[in-house]
Each structure stands twice: as structure tokens, then as C-alpha cells.
């Protein structure tokens, strides 16, 4: 038996905070992630001071914890693995907030709240969304701009890495295969969307870039657009950088095309009613998703499985079916009944399919807790 660790995972967003406590032995292999012994989610009240939601959660913890793991969206080039938080680490996370302002700032609020409520005796660990993509080859991470951009850290980083890494390992277990021999396309589809090409357990290509805005259309984010269009907006309308940020991050994607909040369930319902804007939004979403899946293939040199995860990936059979329709030539074929059931952690491919199609529940909290527990046991 290994050392038992009680780990709290904090996932702080711009308007809510999710917390889960796990009791685990980091070195013990598990057939499936366990359920947390406690979980809580709170939404920040309008005008509530930064970190107040985190304090409310921490003050209700059922007993002591050994380590607190924080999801930190952007770790830049420096942070390639889970890292114990120090003053220097906090300073670096704050500096990287320029590329993920809402997410990194929220994570720091959670760190500071934990320091105040739990005291200095509890180790805190940053688990970075960018770390899984740290091994991207230069051809995948460099933009075709001036070479000086690379010297300045202006490159593609990729995001959603905590979940992309988790689902890759989970896929290998579900398939009874060694992850080192698998070629996977991981489709993280939720309010944010990204794809990752995973070969030999490592991310070799992904759709998000310098910021989480690049790539696929999302709930309220545009995904990739022609930079010339942005220049046109700056010149023709006098839009400020802040106005463009608001436009591309909060008023685009499904929300921009279909109207509403960008919830795909609402888009599908409106599409069913025959609303043309909703039909267009869905068609654009699927077109870009198909294009993204196809773009991941060259980095893999073959394909063993496509994995759908995230709120949309797990619960929207229509999206999975529409996304895979053009890839029948690869031998990817869904079982209609299994796909409609939307049961997570299952293979929904037909018996004839040459490519596994997996639906895997996102378990970011578990991944954060496990990574944080490993840091604290290694240090001890």
C-alpha cells in the first residue's frame, strides 16, 4: 500500500468555482477514477470581490487536506509539469495572464484564498493546461511570422491539456492497449473546444494556439478568423483592442451566429424549429470540426481511435454522428444505438469499424488531484 493523500482540486473560472476532494494513493493503479468524497460548485455573485467564492468553498471543507491542486490555464514555455506553488511561480502565472486574463487571474485568486484559509502548512500545486502540449514539435508550435516572435515567446501553446492527457490514458485502458502504441484524436467539445493529435501518449498537434481563442468555433469564442478581417475592423470601424477582445471572446461562436448564450442545446432546439441562424451556426460548427479532425491526421500517420469528451462531446450524439460522417473512408463507423445512448466511457463504434470511437467523461478534477498528490508525495 502507498501513502494515502487527501487532495483538493480547485478549478476556478471567471464566474464560478468547482471544488472536489479525493482520497487517493498516487502510486496505486486504478481501473477507473473514483468519485470524490466531497464536491461543491459555487457561482460568483454580482460584484463579489475576487477570491470570495473560493473562500466560501474552503470554509466549508469537510476536514483537513494535504494538498490543494489548482487548474492553471497558461503555463507558457517554462512550466511543463505540475509544480509546487511559490512566490516566484505566482509571479510567473500573473505575467502569463496577458494570454489568459480571466483564467489565470481566477486561479491566483484561488491560491491566495487557500493561503489565507488553510494556512502555509498545506502544499499548493499548479497543474497547467498547457503542459501536455509542451512537447509539440517546432513545426506545430511556430507561427509563420518574423523569427523574432519565437524569441519573444509568441508561439502556439495549446490548452485543455489536463483533459486531453487524461482521456488519452483512459482511452488506452478502455481499449486494453498500450498508450505508447496508440494514435488518437481527442475532441474536447464544451463551451470551449479544442482537438489534440496524440501519438505515443504525447500531444503532437492541437487546434488552440497562443491563446484559447484559436481553432474551432466555441460557445462564445470565434475560433480562428482571417487576421486580415481583424485589420479591416480596426481600420474601418476604429475598433479598439478591448472591443475586439469582447467581440471575439464573448459575442462570437455559436452565440454570434445563432444568437442567445451559445449553448449548443439551444442551438439544436432552434435548428429543429427551422430557424435559419441556428442551422447556419450548427453547419459552421460541424464544418470546422470536421476540418479540424482531418487536420490532425497527418501528424499521426494513422488512426486507432477518436475520443469525444466535454459537455458536448459526451452528450450530443448528433454532433458525433455529423462530425464522423465524412470519415467513413477511414473505416470509422458508429453504432447508431450505442451512439444515441451517450453512455460515457464506452466505445460507440460499430463492430465493423476499423477505428474505435470513444465517449469519455471529462475528469479534470481527478486529474488535478492525482497530479497534485504525486507532487506532494515526491517532495515528501
Amino acid at each position: 500500500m502507498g501513502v494515502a493523500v487527501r487532495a483538493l482540486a480547485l478549478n476556478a473560472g471567471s464566474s464560478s468555482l468547482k471544488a472536489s476532494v479525493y482520497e487517493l494513493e498516487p502510486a496505486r493503479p486504478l481501473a477507473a477514477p473514483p468519485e470524490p468524497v466531497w464536491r461543491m460548485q459555487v457561482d460568483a455573485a454580482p460584484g463579489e470581490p475576487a477570491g470570495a467564492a473560493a473562500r466560501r468553498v474552503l470554509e466549508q471543507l469537510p476536514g483537513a487536506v494535504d494538498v490543494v491542486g489548482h487548474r492553471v490555464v497558461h503555463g507558457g514555455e517554462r512550466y511543463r509539469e505540475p509544480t509546487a506553488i511559490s512566490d516566484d511561480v505566482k509571479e510567473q502565472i500573473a505575467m502569463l495572464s496577458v494570454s489568459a486574463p480571466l483564467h489565470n487571474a481566477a486561479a491566483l485568486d484561488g491560491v491566495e484564498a487557500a493561503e489565507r484559509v488553510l494556512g502555509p502548512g498545506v502544499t499548493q500545486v499548479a497543474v497547467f493546461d498547457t503542459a501536455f502540449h509542451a512537447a509539440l514539435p517546432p513545426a506545430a508550435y511556430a507561427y509563420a511570422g518574423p523569427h523574432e516572435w519565437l524569441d519573444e515567446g509568441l508561439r502556439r501553446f495549446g490548452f485543455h491539456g489536463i483533459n486531453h492527457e487524461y482521456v488519452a490514458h483512459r482511452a488506452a485502458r478502455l481499449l486494453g492497449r498500450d498508450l505508447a502504441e496508440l494514435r488518437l484524436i481527442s475532441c474536447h467539445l464544451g463551451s470551449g473546444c479544442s482537438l489534440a493529435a496524440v501519438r505515443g501518449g504525447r500531444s503532437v498537434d492541437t487546434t488552440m494556439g497562443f491563446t484559447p481563442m484559436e481553432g474551432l468555433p466555441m460557445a462564445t469564442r470565434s475560433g480562428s478568423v482571417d487576421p486580415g478581417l481583424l485589420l479591416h475592423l480596426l481600420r474601418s470601424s476604429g475598433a479598439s483592442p478591448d472591443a475586439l477582445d469582447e467581440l471575439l471572446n464573448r459575442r462570437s461562436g455559436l452565440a454570434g451566429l445563432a444568437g442567445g448564450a451559445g449553448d449548443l442545446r439551444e442551438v439544436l432546439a432552434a435548428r429543429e424549429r427551422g430557424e435559419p441562424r441556428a442551422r447556419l451556426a450548427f453547419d459552421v460548427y460541424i464544418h470546422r470540426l470536421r476540418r479540424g479532425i482531418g487536420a490532425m491526421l497527418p501528424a499521426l500517420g494513422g488512426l486507432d481511435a477518436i475520443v469525444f469528451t466535454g459537455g458536448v462531446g459526451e452528450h450530443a450524439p448528433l454532433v458525433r454522428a455529423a462530425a464522423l460522417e465524412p470519415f467513413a473512408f477511414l473505416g470509422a463507423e458508429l453504432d447508431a444505438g450505442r451512439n444515441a445512448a451517450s453512455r460515457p466511457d464506452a466505445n460507440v463504434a460499430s463492430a465493423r469499424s476499423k477505428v474505435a470511437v470513444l465517449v469519455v467523461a471529462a475528469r479534470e478534477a481527478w486529474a488535478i488531484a492525482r497530479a497534485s498528490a504525486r507532487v506532494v508525495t515526491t517532495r515528501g
Side-chain angles (χ1 to χ4, degrees):
M1 300 291 287
V3 177
V5 175
R6 190 174 170 90
L8 166 65
L10 286 182
N11 187 340
S14 58
S15 60
S16 67
L17 181 138
K18 299 175 184 177
S20 301
V21 174
Y22 291 88
E23 292 178 352
L24 65 155
E25 296 174 18
R28 181 184 177 189
L30 294 171
E35 290 299 313
V37 297
W38 178 83
R39 62 160 59 111
M40 185 177 181
Q41 177 173 342
V42 298
D43 296 321
E48 188 174 33
R55 289 196 297 273
R56 283 193 281 131
V57 168
L58 292 163
E59 288 166 354
Q60 297 184 58
L61 276 178
V65 295
D66 301 301
V67 62
V68 182
H70 300 265
R71 178 195 176 211
V72 180
V73 166
H74 210 315
E77 295 181 282
R78 180 170 179 177
Y79 297 107
R80 295 169 171 254
E81 58 187 20
T83 303
I85 295 174
S86 63
D87 288 342
D88 177 62
V89 173
K90 287 192 289 184
E91 182 179 339
Q92 293 297 317
I93 291 172
M95 290 174 62
L96 289 162
S97 292
V98 66
S99 299
L102 298 179
H103 297 90
N104 271 30
L108 285 174
D109 289 341
V111 171
E112 292 170 0
E115 288 174 341
R116 285 193 294 270
V117 176
L118 303 179
V122 177
T123 299
Q124 299 199 62
V125 173
V127 184
F128 297 96
D129 246 346
T130 48
F132 183 54
H133 305 295
L136 285 174
Y141 71 65
Y143 287 111
H147 193 276
E148 289 76 17
W149 282 6
L150 292 174
D151 298 331
E152 298 168 13
L154 304 178
R155 47 157 287 181
R156 304 183 69 249
F157 290 100
F159 298 89
H160 291 147
I162 296 170
N163 194 45
H164 282 306
E165 182 174 21
Y166 166 74
V167 299
H169 284 271
R170 185 67 177 142
R173 180 171 287 276
L174 291 171
L175 295 172
R177 302 269 305 272
D178 184 348
L179 180 57
E181 68 183 29
L182 286 178
R183 298 158 300 179
L184 310 170
I185 296 176
S186 172
C187 306
H188 180 113
L189 307 177
S191 58
C193 300
S194 70
L195 308 179
V198 182
R199 187 179 67 217
R202 302 175 71 180
S203 173
V204 292
D205 203 356
T206 190
T207 53
M208 285 181 168
F210 180 66
T211 74
M213 200 189 307
E214 186 180 351
L216 305 175
M218 308 174 213
T220 64
R221 280 174 268 176
S222 64
S224 296
V225 296
D226 181 352
L229 173 59
L230 305 184
L231 293 174
H232 169 77
L233 292 173
L234 288 170
R235 290 167 175 156
S236 64
S237 65
S240 68
D242 287 344
L244 280 182
D245 186 304
E246 172 72 19
L247 176 68
L248 298 172
N249 266 313
R250 298 176 179 83
R251 296 195 288 118
S252 295
L254 293 174
L257 285 171
D263 188 315
L264 183 65
R265 292 168 296 187
E266 296 178 5
V267 173
L268 291 175
R271 174 178 175 267
E272 188 68 22
R273 294 193 299 268
E275 296 183 14
R277 287 184 58 177
R279 286 200 304 269
L280 175 62
F282 180 78
D283 289 347
V284 170
Y285 184 91
I286 294 299
H287 174 79
R288 295 281 296 278
L289 176 55
R290 289 169 171 172
R291 189 169 72 180
I293 291 171
M296 295 295 104
L297 290 170
L300 296 173
L303 185 63
D304 298 298
I306 298 176
V307 187
F308 290 91
T309 185
V312 173
E314 295 167 35
H315 302 296
L318 179 61
V319 168
R320 294 194 295 266
L324 293 183
E325 185 179 339
F327 296 102
F329 74 96
L330 292 176
E333 181 179 330
L334 286 171
D335 180 291
R338 290 177 186 172
N339 184 50
S342 290
R343 187 169 62 86
D345 289 15
N347 189 349
V348 297
S350 73
R352 298 183 299 275
S353 183
K354 297 177 182 178
V355 176
V357 181
L358 303 178
V359 180
V360 174
R363 299 295 295 269
E364 285 178 309
W366 162 247
I368 292 166
R370 189 170 178 82
S372 302
R374 285 176 172 161
V375 170
V376 77
T377 53
T378 300
R379 294 178 79 204

